[in-house]
């Protein structure tokens, strides 16, 4: 979440309230966060020198507006250019895709290639499970259970293949642009 917040703050300095609204209006479609988790992430980013308070608005509440520091911009770049890790490809990929426009056009295809490679690896893992299931001898009383487990695998394969095809096409478009 910290990197998503850094990306949002690279778009424009924002307060906690603004960040909550930014999540709701955009990146929250692929990356959900509560106001409490955003606040905790802001506190951590501030403590690590990745963001700073740009201003404190006058009034009773003293609303703080945050912006990235040079160290924060560097951390964001390392994240977006880094490995696509974590258990959930969709969250890792789409949160990067959301901010891809912050990179120079020449740098975007590398990020898309890493996402595509991760999607291909995920599909390969699921295809290996599919091959194992094909030769599995299942007792009669568990065949209905296996049928639904197989349906779950089919969904994962379909979703994974779609992601792979989509990111492959997007990477090709970036390369030809």
């Amino acid at each position: 979440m910290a990197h998503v917040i850094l990306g949002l703050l690279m778009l424009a300095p924002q307060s906690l309230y603004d960040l909550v609204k930014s999540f709701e209006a955009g990146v929250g479609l692929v990356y959900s966060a509560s106001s409490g988790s955003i606040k905790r992430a802001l506190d951590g980013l501030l403590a690590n020198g990745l963001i700073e308070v740009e201003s404190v608005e006058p009034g009773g509440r003293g609303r703080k507006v945050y912006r990235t520091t040079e160290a924060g911009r560097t951390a964001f770049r390392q994240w977006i250019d880094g490995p696509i890790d974590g258990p959930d490809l969709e969250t890792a990929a789409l949160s990067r895709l959301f901010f891809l426009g912050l990179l120079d056009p020449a740098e975007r295809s590398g990020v898309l290639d890493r996402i595509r490679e991760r999607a291909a690896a995920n599909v390969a893992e699921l295809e290996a499970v599919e091959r194992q299931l094909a030769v599995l001898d299942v007792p009669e009383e568990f065949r209905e259970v296996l049928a639904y487990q197989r349906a779950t695998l089919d969904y994962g394969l379909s979703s994974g293949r779609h992601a792979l095809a989509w990111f492959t096409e997007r990477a090709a478009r970036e390369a030809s642009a």
Side-chain angles (χ1 to χ4, degrees):
M1 173 182 310
H3 297 104
V4 172
I5 291 172
L6 287 172
L8 290 170
L9 292 176
M10 287 176 64
L11 294 172
Q14 299 180 55
S15 67
L16 172 61
Y17 177 80
D18 297 330
L19 285 166
V20 169
K21 292 300 175 192
S22 291
F23 267 88
E24 291 172 359
V27 74
L29 297 172
V30 296
Y31 198 107
S32 63
S34 67
S35 59
S37 61
I38 294 171
K39 174 68 171 120
R40 284 187 298 281
L42 275 174
D43 290 343
L45 290 167
L46 198 57
N48 290 324
L50 301 179
I51 63 171
E52 62 190 5
V53 176
E54 178 182 79
S55 64
V56 177
E57 295 180 2
R61 292 198 150 165
R63 187 169 99 147
K64 295 177 184 175
V65 176
Y66 301 93
R67 68 175 172 210
T68 58
T69 62
E70 187 59 40
R73 289 186 289 283
T74 299
F76 175 83
R77 291 297 303 240
Q78 289 171 340
W79 167 75
I80 202 166
D81 288 335
I84 311 301
D85 52 9
D88 183 11
L89 171 64
E90 188 172 87
T91 299
L94 294 180
S95 58
R96 284 171 174 82
L97 181 65
F98 189 84
F99 295 109
L100 205 57
L102 291 172
L103 299 182
D104 292 329
E107 299 170 305
R108 296 173 188 158
S109 61
V111 175
L112 291 168
D113 285 342
R114 282 188 295 285
I115 293 170
R116 187 185 47 74
E117 289 165 5
R118 167 69 190 277
N122 285 6
V123 168
E125 287 178 28
L126 292 174
E127 287 172 339
V129 171
E130 182 179 44
R131 286 189 298 276
Q132 291 172 345
L133 286 179
V135 297
L136 192 63
D137 186 26
V138 178
E140 181 66 36
E141 65 268 19
F142 294 111
R143 288 199 178 145
E144 281 192 38
V145 172
L146 179 62
Y148 286 97
Q149 291 174 347
R150 174 59 199 221
T152 305
L153 175 63
D154 288 345
Y155 179 86
L157 279 166
S158 178
S159 176
R161 288 175 178 145
H162 172 75
L164 177 57
W166 193 93
F167 280 105
T168 298
E169 180 200 339
R170 187 69 202 194
R173 273 196 272 156
E174 267 318 304
S176 68

